[in-house]
């Protein structure tokens, strides 16, 4: 404490330092416990009165103090973290964070002070999911908790308790392409059930390679292309639109596809219908099938990547300076012609 502030007075269990300036004015200041107050007066008694009055009205309520880190619950930190994610991630990603927190994490830790949650508590929490055999859920919760506790550890200037928490490695299934027989079975199902939105969506996914989330943005361009917004883009980047040319396989299906129904399909229904028809497949594997068929048909790998909305890799010649013409894309699309269907049955 500087020598010119060694005079003190006590009020409301607080020790307040003050000084007498060269101009004969008393000045008091208090910058602790989340409170920042400075007052001055030529009269020491009035100085004390002004300080007490300002303290009692600090932040609009008597003796209101800002909460320190030690008083904050895990739930409050989770809210802070979600507020950041709400403006830095896609809505679907944010919704998944909210779902996991509300369903799994907050019931266990929400009301506990963040500083009181230790490694043992976190490890035991994750072990319950590991013992149930839901390794994917355990891994996702591990990553979420690690992010929030990184923020908590930063506030307390301590190592994160997640540092020594472990979960088994989880490798997500990459998916497989449909066999030709499975593809025929799916197409025949769709043609026999054209009243259902899922049938139209399946045909679009199969013969254009879209992601499910991209169906809502699809549109037809010049009767030769299907356009959509690439849903894999990160928040903060410009929306990227891509075009997929109609292949002979898609052209055969055009008379039967209602693109409005495909756009408006319920994605949950799409998933459950796929599981009912093909228990060992999921709808994203229609994208695997499209990409695999294109490559099997001899389409340039770079072109397939463009149709799929994947980033090109390789030399700067490929990634920056190569721009394929529409005519070339349409010519490559003609190669994708590998199955015949009896469309009269």
């Amino acid at each position: 404490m500087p020598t010119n502030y060694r005079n003190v007075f006590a009020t409301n269990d607080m020790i307040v330092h003050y000084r007498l300036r060269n101009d004969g004015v008393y000045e008091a200041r208090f910058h602790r416990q989340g409170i920042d107050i400075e007052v001055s007066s030529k009269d020491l008694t009035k100085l004390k009165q002004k300080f007490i009055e300002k303290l009692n009205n600090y932040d609009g309520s008597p003796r209101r103090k800002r909460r320190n880190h030690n008083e904050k619950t895990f739930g409050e930190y989770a809210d802070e973290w979600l507020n950041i994610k709400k403006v830095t991630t896609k809505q679907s990603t944010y919704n998944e964070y909210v779902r996991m927190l509300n369903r799994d994490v907050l019931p266990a830790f929400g009301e506990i002070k963040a500083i009181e949650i230790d490694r043992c508590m976190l490890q035991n929490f994750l072990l319950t999911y590991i013992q149930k055999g839901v390794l994917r859920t355990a891994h996702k919760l591990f990553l979420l908790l690690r992010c929030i506790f990184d923020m908590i550890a930063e506030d307390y200037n301590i190592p994160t308790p997640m540092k020594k928490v472990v979960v088994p490695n989880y490798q997500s299934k990459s998916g497989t392409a449909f066999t030709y027989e499975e593809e025929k079975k799916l197409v025949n199902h769709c043609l026999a059930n054209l009243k259902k939105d899922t049938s139209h969506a399946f045909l679009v996914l199969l013969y254009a390679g879209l992601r499910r989330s991209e169906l809502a943005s699809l549109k037809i361009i010049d009767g030769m292309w299907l356009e959509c917004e690439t849903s894999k883009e990160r928040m903060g980047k410009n929306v990227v639109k891509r075009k997929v040319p109609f292949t002979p396989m898609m052209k055969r299906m055009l008379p039967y596809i209602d693109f409005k129904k495909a756009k408006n399909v319920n994605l949950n229904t799409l998933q459950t219908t796929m599981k009912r028809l093909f228990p060992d497949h999921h709808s994203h594997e229609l994208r695997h099938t499209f990409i695999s068929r294109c490559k099997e048909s001899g389409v340039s790998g770079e072109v397939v990547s463009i149709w799929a909305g994947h980033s090109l890799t390789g030399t700067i010649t490929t990634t920056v300076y190569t721009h394929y013409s529409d005519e070339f894309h349409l010519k490559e699309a003609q190669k994708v012609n590998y199955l015949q269907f009896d469309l009269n049955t």
Side-chain angles (χ1 to χ4, degrees), residues 246-322:
F246 288 160
T247 66
M249 299 304 299
M250 172 64 92
K251 289 178 180 177
R252 291 194 189 101
M253 298 298 140
L254 287 179
Y256 307 96
I257 297 176
D258 185 327
F259 287 97
K260 184 176 181 180
K261 288 185 176 181
K263 288 182 64 171
N264 296 325
V265 70
N266 183 298
L267 298 184
N268 290 328
T269 303
L270 195 69
Q271 288 288 72
T272 55
T273 303
M274 176 59 71
K275 279 299 180 184
R276 178 172 54 82
L277 294 172
F278 298 94
D280 295 329
H281 284 294
H282 52 78
S283 57
H284 190 67
E285 289 175 310
L286 297 178
R287 179 171 164 84
H288 288 249
T289 306
F290 171 77
I291 293 172
S292 298
R293 298 288 189 266
C294 288
K295 290 188 175 182
E296 290 171 350
S297 299
V299 178
S300 162
E302 291 176 8
V303 171
V304 176
S305 293
I306 294 170
W307 295 351
H310 290 153
S311 298
L312 291 176
T313 58
T315 66
I316 193 171
T317 303
T318 297
T319 59
V320 177
Y321 290 104
T322 301

Coordinates of all heavy atoms in Angstrom, one line a residue, residues 246-322:
F246 N -26.8 -33.9 -63.5 CA -27.6 -35.1 -63.6 C -26.9 -36.1 -64.4 O -26.5 -35.9 -65.6 CB -28.9 -34.8 -64.4 CG -29.9 -33.9 -63.5 CD1 -30.9 -33.2 -64.1 CD2 -29.8 -33.9 -62.1 CE1 -31.8 -32.5 -63.4 CE2 -30.6 -33.1 -61.4 CZ -31.6 -32.4 -62.0
T247 N -26.7 -37.3 -63.8 CA -26.1 -38.4 -64.5 C -27.2 -39.2 -65.2 O -28.4 -39.0 -64.9 CB -25.4 -39.3 -63.5 OG1 -26.4 -39.9 -62.6 CG2 -24.4 -38.6 -62.6
P248 N -26.8 -40.1 -66.1 CA -27.9 -41.0 -66.7 C -28.7 -41.7 -65.6 O -29.9 -41.9 -65.8 CB -27.1 -42.0 -67.5 CG -25.9 -41.2 -67.9 CD -25.5 -40.3 -66.7
M249 N -28.1 -42.1 -64.5 CA -28.8 -42.8 -63.4 C -29.9 -41.8 -62.9 O -31.0 -42.2 -62.6 CB -27.9 -43.2 -62.3 CG -26.8 -44.2 -62.8 SD -27.5 -45.7 -63.6 CE -28.4 -46.4 -62.2
M250 N -29.5 -40.6 -62.6 CA -30.5 -39.6 -62.1 C -31.6 -39.3 -63.1 O -32.8 -39.2 -62.8 CB -29.8 -38.3 -61.7 CG -30.7 -37.2 -61.3 SD -31.8 -37.5 -59.8 CE -30.7 -36.8 -58.6
K251 N -31.2 -39.2 -64.4 CA -32.1 -38.8 -65.5 C -33.2 -39.9 -65.6 O -34.4 -39.5 -65.9 CB -31.4 -38.7 -66.8 CG -30.6 -37.4 -66.9 CD -29.8 -37.3 -68.2 CE -29.0 -36.1 -68.3 NZ -28.2 -36.0 -69.5
R252 N -32.9 -41.2 -65.3 CA -33.9 -42.2 -65.4 C -34.9 -42.0 -64.3 O -36.1 -42.4 -64.4 CB -33.3 -43.6 -65.2 CG -32.4 -44.0 -66.4 CD -32.1 -45.5 -66.4 NE -31.1 -45.8 -67.4 CZ -29.9 -46.0 -67.2 NH1 -29.4 -45.9 -66.0 NH2 -29.0 -46.3 -68.2
M253 N -34.5 -41.4 -63.2 CA -35.4 -41.3 -62.0 C -36.2 -39.9 -62.0 O -37.2 -39.8 -61.3 CB -34.6 -41.3 -60.7 CG -33.9 -42.6 -60.5 SD -35.1 -44.0 -60.4 CE -34.2 -45.3 -61.3
L254 N -35.8 -39.0 -62.9 CA -36.4 -37.7 -62.9 C -37.9 -37.7 -63.0 O -38.7 -36.9 -62.3 CB -35.8 -36.8 -63.9 CG -34.4 -36.3 -63.7 CD1 -33.9 -35.4 -64.8 CD2 -34.3 -35.5 -62.4
P255 N -38.5 -38.5 -63.9 CA -40.0 -38.5 -64.0 C -40.7 -39.0 -62.7 O -41.9 -38.7 -62.6 CB -40.2 -39.6 -65.1 CG -38.9 -39.6 -65.9 CD -37.9 -39.5 -64.9
Y256 N -40.0 -39.6 -61.8 CA -40.6 -40.1 -60.6 C -40.3 -39.3 -59.4 O -41.0 -39.5 -58.3 CB -40.1 -41.6 -60.4 CG -40.3 -42.4 -61.6 CD1 -39.3 -42.7 -62.5 CD2 -41.6 -43.0 -61.9 CE1 -39.4 -43.4 -63.6 CE2 -41.7 -43.8 -63.0 CZ -40.7 -44.0 -63.9 OH -40.9 -44.8 -65.0
I257 N -39.4 -38.4 -59.4 CA -38.9 -37.6 -58.2 C -39.7 -36.3 -58.1 O -39.8 -35.5 -59.1 CB -37.4 -37.3 -58.3 CG1 -36.6 -38.6 -58.3 CG2 -37.1 -36.5 -57.1 CD1 -35.1 -38.3 -58.4
D258 N -40.4 -36.1 -57.0 CA -41.0 -34.9 -56.6 C -40.0 -34.1 -55.7 O -39.8 -34.5 -54.5 CB -42.3 -35.1 -55.9 CG -43.0 -33.8 -55.6 OD1 -42.4 -32.8 -55.4 OD2 -44.3 -33.8 -55.6
F259 N -39.3 -33.2 -56.3 CA -38.2 -32.5 -55.5 C -38.8 -31.7 -54.3 O -38.1 -31.5 -53.3 CB -37.4 -31.6 -56.4 CG -36.5 -32.4 -57.3 CD1 -36.8 -32.7 -58.6 CD2 -35.3 -32.9 -56.9 CE1 -36.0 -33.4 -59.5 CE2 -34.4 -33.7 -57.7 CZ -34.8 -33.9 -59.0
K260 N -40.0 -31.3 -54.4 CA -40.6 -30.6 -53.3 C -40.8 -31.5 -52.1 O -40.5 -31.1 -50.9 CB -41.9 -30.0 -53.7 CG -42.6 -29.1 -52.6 CD -43.9 -28.5 -53.1 CE -44.5 -27.7 -52.0 NZ -45.8 -27.0 -52.4
K261 N -41.2 -32.7 -52.4 CA -41.3 -33.7 -51.3 C -40.0 -34.1 -50.7 O -39.8 -34.3 -49.5 CB -42.0 -35.0 -51.8 CG -43.5 -34.8 -52.1 CD -44.1 -36.1 -52.5 CE -45.6 -35.9 -52.7 NZ -46.3 -37.2 -53.1
A262 N -38.9 -34.2 -51.6 CA -37.6 -34.5 -51.1 C -37.1 -33.4 -50.2 O -36.4 -33.6 -49.2 CB -36.7 -34.7 -52.3
K263 N -37.4 -32.1 -50.5 CA -36.9 -31.0 -49.7 C -37.6 -30.9 -48.4 O -37.0 -30.6 -47.4 CB -37.2 -29.6 -50.4 CG -36.4 -29.4 -51.7 CD -36.7 -28.0 -52.3 CE -36.4 -26.9 -51.3 NZ -36.5 -25.6 -52.0
N264 N -38.8 -31.3 -48.3 CA -39.6 -31.2 -47.1 C -39.7 -32.5 -46.2 O -40.4 -32.5 -45.3 CB -41.0 -30.8 -47.4 CG -41.1 -29.4 -48.1 OD1 -40.3 -28.5 -47.7 ND2 -42.0 -29.2 -49.0
V265 N -38.9 -33.5 -46.6 CA -38.9 -34.7 -45.9 C -38.5 -34.5 -44.4 O -37.7 -33.7 -44.1 CB -38.0 -35.8 -46.5 CG1 -36.5 -35.4 -46.4 CG2 -38.2 -37.2 -46.0
N266 N -39.1 -35.3 -43.5 CA -38.8 -35.3 -42.1 C -37.5 -36.2 -42.0 O -37.5 -37.4 -42.3 CB -39.9 -35.9 -41.3 CG -39.6 -35.8 -39.8 OD1 -38.7 -36.5 -39.3 ND2 -40.4 -35.1 -39.0
L267 N -36.4 -35.6 -41.5 CA -35.1 -36.3 -41.5 C -35.2 -37.4 -40.5 O -34.5 -38.5 -40.7 CB -34.0 -35.3 -41.1 CG -33.8 -34.2 -42.1 CD1 -32.5 -33.4 -41.7 CD2 -33.6 -34.7 -43.6
N268 N -35.9 -37.3 -39.4 CA -36.0 -38.4 -38.5 C -36.8 -39.6 -39.1 O -36.4 -40.8 -38.9 CB -36.8 -38.0 -37.2 CG -35.9 -37.0 -36.4 OD1 -34.7 -37.1 -36.3 ND2 -36.6 -36.1 -35.7
T269 N -37.8 -39.3 -39.9 CA -38.5 -40.4 -40.6 C -37.6 -41.0 -41.6 O -37.7 -42.2 -41.8 CB -39.8 -39.8 -41.2 OG1 -40.6 -39.1 -40.3 CG2 -40.6 -40.9 -41.9
L270 N -36.8 -40.2 -42.2 CA -35.9 -40.7 -43.2 C -34.9 -41.8 -42.6 O -34.7 -42.8 -43.2 CB -35.0 -39.6 -43.8 CG -34.3 -39.8 -45.1 CD1 -35.2 -40.0 -46.3 CD2 -33.3 -38.7 -45.4
Q271 N -34.5 -41.5 -41.4 CA -33.6 -42.4 -40.7 C -34.3 -43.7 -40.3 O -33.7 -44.8 -40.5 CB -33.0 -41.7 -39.5 CG -32.0 -40.6 -39.8 CD -30.7 -41.2 -40.3 OE1 -30.5 -41.7 -41.4 NE2 -29.6 -41.1 -39.4
T272 N -35.4 -43.5 -39.7 CA -36.2 -44.7 -39.2 C -36.6 -45.6 -40.4 O -36.6 -46.8 -40.3 CB -37.4 -44.3 -38.4 OG1 -38.2 -43.5 -39.2 CG2 -36.9 -43.6 -37.1
T273 N -37.0 -45.0 -41.5 CA -37.4 -45.8 -42.7 C -36.2 -46.6 -43.3 O -36.3 -47.7 -43.6 CB -37.9 -44.9 -43.8 OG1 -39.1 -44.1 -43.3 CG2 -38.4 -45.7 -45.0
M274 N -35.0 -45.9 -43.3 CA -33.8 -46.6 -43.8 C -33.5 -47.8 -42.9 O -33.2 -48.9 -43.4 CB -32.6 -45.6 -43.8 CG -31.3 -46.2 -44.2 SD -31.3 -47.1 -45.8 CE -31.4 -45.6 -46.9
K275 N -33.6 -47.6 -41.6 CA -33.2 -48.7 -40.6 C -34.2 -49.8 -40.8 O -33.9 -51.0 -40.6 CB -33.2 -48.2 -39.2 CG -31.9 -47.4 -38.8 CD -30.8 -48.4 -38.9 CE -29.5 -47.7 -38.6 NZ -28.3 -48.6 -38.8
R276 N -35.5 -49.5 -41.1 CA -36.5 -50.6 -41.3 C -36.2 -51.4 -42.6 O -36.3 -52.6 -42.6 CB -37.9 -50.0 -41.3 CG -39.0 -51.0 -41.6 CD -40.3 -50.3 -41.4 NE -40.5 -49.2 -42.3 CZ -40.8 -49.2 -43.5 NH1 -41.0 -50.4 -44.2 NH2 -41.0 -48.1 -44.2
L277 N -35.8 -50.7 -43.6 CA -35.5 -51.3 -44.9 C -34.2 -52.0 -44.9 O -34.0 -53.2 -45.4 CB -35.6 -50.3 -46.0 CG -36.9 -49.7 -46.3 CD1 -36.7 -48.5 -47.3 CD2 -37.9 -50.7 -46.8
F278 N -33.2 -51.4 -44.3 CA -31.8 -51.9 -44.3 C -31.2 -51.7 -42.9 O -30.5 -50.7 -42.7 CB -30.9 -51.2 -45.4 CG -31.4 -51.3 -46.8 CD1 -32.2 -50.4 -47.4 CD2 -31.0 -52.4 -47.5 CE1 -32.7 -50.5 -48.7 CE2 -31.5 -52.6 -48.9 CZ -32.3 -51.6 -49.4
P279 N -31.4 -52.6 -42.0 CA -30.9 -52.5 -40.6 C -29.4 -52.3 -40.5 O -29.0 -51.7 -39.5 CB -31.4 -53.8 -40.0 CG -32.5 -54.3 -40.8 CD -32.2 -53.9 -42.2
D280 N -28.7 -52.7 -41.5 CA -27.2 -52.6 -41.4 C -26.7 -51.3 -42.1 O -25.5 -51.1 -42.2 CB -26.5 -53.8 -42.0 CG -26.8 -55.1 -41.2 OD1 -27.0 -54.9 -40.0 OD2 -26.9 -56.1 -41.8
H281 N -27.6 -50.5 -42.6 CA -27.2 -49.2 -43.3 C -27.8 -48.0 -42.6 O -28.8 -48.1 -41.9 CB -27.6 -49.3 -44.7 CG -26.7 -50.1 -45.6 ND1 -25.4 -49.9 -45.9 CD2 -27.0 -51.3 -46.3 CE1 -24.9 -50.8 -46.7 NE2 -25.9 -51.7 -46.9
H282 N -27.3 -46.9 -42.8 CA -27.9 -45.6 -42.5 C -28.0 -44.7 -43.7 O -27.2 -45.0 -44.7 CB -27.2 -44.9 -41.3 CG -25.7 -44.7 -41.5 ND1 -25.2 -43.7 -42.3 CD2 -24.7 -45.4 -41.0 CE1 -23.9 -43.8 -42.3 NE2 -23.5 -44.8 -41.5
S283 N -28.8 -43.7 -43.7 CA -29.1 -42.9 -44.9 C -27.8 -42.2 -45.5 O -27.8 -42.0 -46.7 CB -30.2 -41.9 -44.7 OG -29.9 -41.1 -43.6
H284 N -26.9 -41.9 -44.6 CA -25.7 -41.2 -45.1 C -24.9 -42.1 -46.0 O -24.1 -41.6 -46.8 CB -24.8 -40.8 -43.9 CG -23.7 -39.9 -44.3 ND1 -23.9 -38.6 -44.8 CD2 -22.3 -40.1 -44.3 CE1 -22.7 -38.0 -45.0 NE2 -21.7 -38.9 -44.8
E285 N -25.1 -43.4 -45.9 CA -24.4 -44.3 -46.8 C -24.9 -44.3 -48.3 O -24.2 -44.8 -49.2 CB -24.5 -45.8 -46.3 CG -23.6 -45.9 -45.0 CD -23.8 -47.3 -44.3 OE1 -24.9 -47.7 -44.1 OE2 -22.8 -47.9 -44.0
L286 N -26.0 -43.6 -48.5 CA -26.3 -43.3 -49.9 C -25.3 -42.4 -50.5 O -25.1 -42.5 -51.7 CB -27.8 -42.7 -50.0 CG -28.9 -43.7 -49.4 CD1 -30.2 -43.0 -49.5 CD2 -28.9 -45.0 -50.2
R287 N -24.8 -41.5 -49.7 CA -23.7 -40.6 -50.2 C -22.5 -41.4 -50.5 O -21.8 -41.1 -51.5 CB -23.5 -39.5 -49.2 CG -22.4 -38.5 -49.5 CD -22.5 -37.4 -48.4 NE -21.2 -36.6 -48.4 CZ -21.0 -35.6 -49.2 NH1 -21.9 -35.3 -50.1 NH2 -19.9 -34.9 -49.1
H288 N -22.1 -42.3 -49.6 CA -21.0 -43.2 -49.9 C -21.2 -43.9 -51.2 O -20.3 -44.1 -52.0 CB -20.9 -44.3 -48.8 CG -20.4 -43.7 -47.5 ND1 -19.2 -44.0 -47.0 CD2 -21.0 -42.9 -46.6 CE1 -19.0 -43.4 -45.8 NE2 -20.1 -42.8 -45.6
T289 N -22.5 -44.4 -51.5 CA -22.8 -45.1 -52.7 C -22.6 -44.3 -53.9 O -22.0 -44.7 -54.9 CB -24.2 -45.7 -52.6 OG1 -24.4 -46.5 -51.4 CG2 -24.5 -46.6 -53.8
F290 N -23.1 -43.1 -53.9 CA -23.0 -42.2 -55.0 C -21.5 -41.9 -55.4 O -21.1 -42.0 -56.5 CB -23.7 -40.8 -54.7 CG -23.4 -39.8 -55.8 CD1 -24.1 -39.8 -57.0 CD2 -22.5 -38.7 -55.5 CE1 -23.8 -38.8 -57.9 CE2 -22.3 -37.8 -56.5 CZ -22.9 -37.8 -57.7
I291 N -20.7 -41.6 -54.4 CA -19.3 -41.3 -54.6 C -18.6 -42.5 -55.1 O -17.8 -42.4 -56.1 CB -18.7 -40.8 -53.3 CG1 -19.3 -39.4 -52.9 CG2 -17.1 -40.7 -53.4 CD1 -18.8 -38.9 -51.6
S292 N -18.9 -43.7 -54.5 CA -18.2 -44.9 -55.0 C -18.6 -45.2 -56.4 O -17.7 -45.6 -57.2 CB -18.6 -46.1 -54.1 OG -18.2 -45.8 -52.7
R293 N -19.9 -45.1 -56.8 CA -20.3 -45.4 -58.2 C -19.7 -44.5 -59.2 O -19.3 -44.9 -60.3 CB -21.8 -45.4 -58.3 CG -22.6 -46.3 -57.4 CD -22.5 -47.8 -57.9 NE -23.4 -48.6 -57.1 CZ -23.0 -49.3 -56.1 NH1 -21.8 -49.3 -55.6 NH2 -23.9 -50.1 -55.4
C294 N -19.5 -43.2 -58.8 CA -18.9 -42.3 -59.7 C -17.5 -42.6 -60.0 O -17.0 -42.6 -61.2 CB -19.0 -40.8 -59.1 SG -20.6 -40.1 -59.1
K295 N -16.8 -43.0 -59.0 CA -15.3 -43.4 -59.2 C -15.2 -44.7 -59.9 O -14.3 -44.9 -60.7 CB -14.6 -43.4 -57.8 CG -14.5 -42.1 -57.2 CD -13.6 -42.1 -55.9 CE -13.3 -40.7 -55.4 NZ -12.4 -40.7 -54.2
E296 N -16.1 -45.7 -59.6 CA -16.1 -46.9 -60.3 C -16.4 -46.7 -61.8 O -16.0 -47.5 -62.6 CB -17.1 -47.9 -59.7 CG -16.8 -48.4 -58.3 CD -17.9 -49.2 -57.6 OE1 -19.0 -49.1 -58.2 OE2 -17.6 -49.8 -56.6
S297 N -17.2 -45.7 -62.1 CA -17.5 -45.4 -63.5 C -16.5 -44.7 -64.2 O -16.6 -44.4 -65.4 CB -18.9 -44.7 -63.5 OG -19.9 -45.4 -62.9
G298 N -15.4 -44.3 -63.5 CA -14.3 -43.6 -64.2 C -14.3 -42.1 -64.2 O -13.5 -41.5 -64.9
V299 N -15.2 -41.5 -63.3 CA -15.2 -40.1 -63.2 C -13.9 -39.6 -62.5 O -13.4 -40.2 -61.5 CB -16.4 -39.6 -62.4 CG1 -16.4 -38.1 -62.3 CG2 -17.7 -40.0 -63.1
S300 N -13.3 -38.5 -62.9 CA -12.1 -37.9 -62.3 C -12.3 -37.8 -60.8 O -13.4 -37.2 -60.4 CB -11.8 -36.6 -63.0 OG -10.9 -35.8 -62.1
G301 N -11.4 -38.2 -60.0 CA -11.5 -38.0 -58.6 C -11.7 -36.6 -58.1 O -12.4 -36.3 -57.2
E302 N -11.0 -35.7 -58.8 CA -11.1 -34.3 -58.4 C -12.6 -33.8 -58.7 O -13.1 -33.0 -57.9 CB -10.1 -33.4 -59.2 CG -8.7 -33.6 -58.8 CD -7.7 -32.8 -59.7 OE1 -8.2 -32.0 -60.5 OE2 -6.5 -33.0 -59.5
V303 N -13.1 -34.2 -59.8 CA -14.5 -33.8 -60.1 C -15.5 -34.4 -59.1 O -16.4 -33.7 -58.7 CB -14.8 -34.3 -61.6 CG1 -16.3 -34.1 -61.9 CG2 -14.0 -33.5 -62.6
V304 N -15.3 -35.7 -58.7 CA -16.2 -36.3 -57.8 C -16.1 -35.5 -56.4 O -17.1 -35.3 -55.8 CB -15.8 -37.8 -57.5 CG1 -16.6 -38.3 -56.4 CG2 -15.9 -38.6 -58.8
S305 N -14.9 -35.1 -56.1 CA -14.8 -34.3 -54.8 C -15.6 -33.0 -54.9 O -16.2 -32.5 -54.0 CB -13.3 -34.0 -54.6 OG -12.6 -35.1 -54.2
I306 N -15.5 -32.3 -56.1 CA -16.3 -31.1 -56.3 C -17.8 -31.4 -56.2 O -18.5 -30.6 -55.5 CB -16.0 -30.5 -57.7 CG1 -14.5 -30.0 -57.7 CG2 -16.9 -29.3 -58.0 CD1 -14.0 -29.6 -59.1
W307 N -18.3 -32.4 -56.8 CA -19.7 -32.8 -56.7 C -20.1 -33.1 -55.3 O -21.2 -32.7 -54.8 CB -20.0 -34.0 -57.6 CG -19.8 -33.8 -59.0 CD1 -19.6 -32.6 -59.7 CD2 -19.8 -34.8 -60.1 NE1 -19.5 -32.9 -61.1 CE2 -19.6 -34.2 -61.3 CE3 -20.0 -36.2 -60.0 CZ2 -19.6 -34.9 -62.5 CZ3 -20.0 -36.9 -61.2 CH2 -19.8 -36.3 -62.5
A308 N -19.2 -33.7 -54.5 CA -19.5 -34.1 -53.1 C -19.4 -32.9 -52.2 O -19.8 -33.0 -51.0 CB -18.6 -35.2 -52.7
G309 N -18.7 -31.8 -52.6 CA -18.5 -30.7 -51.7 C -17.4 -30.9 -50.8 O -17.3 -30.3 -49.7
H310 N -16.4 -31.7 -51.2 CA -15.2 -31.9 -50.4 C -14.1 -30.9 -50.8 O -14.1 -30.5 -52.0 CB -14.6 -33.3 -50.6 CG -15.5 -34.3 -49.9 ND1 -15.6 -35.7 -50.4 CD2 -16.4 -34.3 -48.9 CE1 -16.4 -36.3 -49.6 NE2 -16.9 -35.5 -48.7
S311 N -13.2 -30.6 -49.9 CA -12.1 -29.7 -50.2 C -11.1 -30.5 -51.1 O -10.8 -31.6 -50.8 CB -11.4 -29.2 -49.0 OG -12.3 -28.4 -48.2
L312 N -10.6 -29.8 -52.1 CA -9.6 -30.4 -53.0 C -8.3 -30.4 -52.3 O -7.9 -29.5 -51.6 CB -9.5 -29.7 -54.3 CG -10.7 -29.8 -55.3 CD1 -10.5 -28.9 -56.5 CD2 -10.9 -31.2 -55.7
T313 N -7.5 -31.4 -52.4 CA -6.1 -31.5 -51.9 C -5.1 -31.7 -53.0 O -5.5 -32.2 -54.1 CB -6.0 -32.7 -50.9 OG1 -6.4 -33.9 -51.5 CG2 -7.0 -32.5 -49.7
G314 N -3.9 -31.4 -52.7 CA -2.9 -31.6 -53.7 C -2.1 -30.3 -53.9 O -2.0 -29.5 -53.0
T315 N -1.6 -30.1 -55.1 CA -0.7 -29.0 -55.4 C -1.6 -27.7 -55.6 O -2.8 -27.8 -55.8 CB 0.1 -29.2 -56.7 OG1 -0.8 -29.3 -57.8 CG2 0.9 -30.5 -56.6
I316 N -0.9 -26.6 -55.6 CA -1.6 -25.3 -55.8 C -2.3 -25.3 -57.2 O -3.3 -24.6 -57.4 CB -0.7 -24.1 -55.6 CG1 -1.5 -22.8 -55.5 CG2 0.4 -24.1 -56.7 CD1 -0.7 -21.6 -55.1
T317 N -1.7 -26.0 -58.1 CA -2.3 -26.1 -59.4 C -3.7 -26.7 -59.4 O -4.6 -26.3 -60.1 CB -1.4 -27.0 -60.4 OG1 -0.1 -26.5 -60.4 CG2 -2.0 -27.1 -61.8
T318 N -3.9 -27.7 -58.5 CA -5.2 -28.3 -58.3 C -6.1 -27.5 -57.5 O -7.3 -27.2 -57.9 CB -5.0 -29.7 -57.7 OG1 -4.3 -30.5 -58.6 CG2 -6.4 -30.4 -57.5
T319 N -5.6 -27.0 -56.3 CA -6.5 -26.4 -55.4 C -6.9 -24.9 -55.7 O -7.9 -24.4 -55.2 CB -5.9 -26.4 -54.0 OG1 -4.6 -25.8 -54.0 CG2 -5.6 -27.9 -53.5
V320 N -6.0 -24.3 -56.5 CA -6.3 -22.8 -56.7 C -6.5 -22.6 -58.2 O -7.4 -21.8 -58.6 CB -5.1 -22.0 -56.3 CG1 -5.3 -20.5 -56.6 CG2 -4.9 -22.2 -54.8
Y321 N -5.8 -23.2 -59.1 CA -5.8 -22.8 -60.5 C -6.6 -23.6 -61.4 O -6.7 -23.3 -62.6 CB -4.3 -22.7 -61.0 CG -3.6 -21.5 -60.4 CD1 -2.6 -21.8 -59.4 CD2 -3.8 -20.2 -60.8 CE1 -1.9 -20.7 -58.8 CE2 -3.1 -19.2 -60.2 CZ -2.1 -19.4 -59.2 OH -1.5 -18.4 -58.7
T322 N -7.2 -24.7 -60.9 CA -8.0 -25.6 -61.8 C -9.4 -25.3 -61.6 O -10.0 -25.3 -60.5 CB -7.8 -27.1 -61.4 OG1 -6.4 -27.4 -61.5 CG2 -8.6 -28.0 -62.3

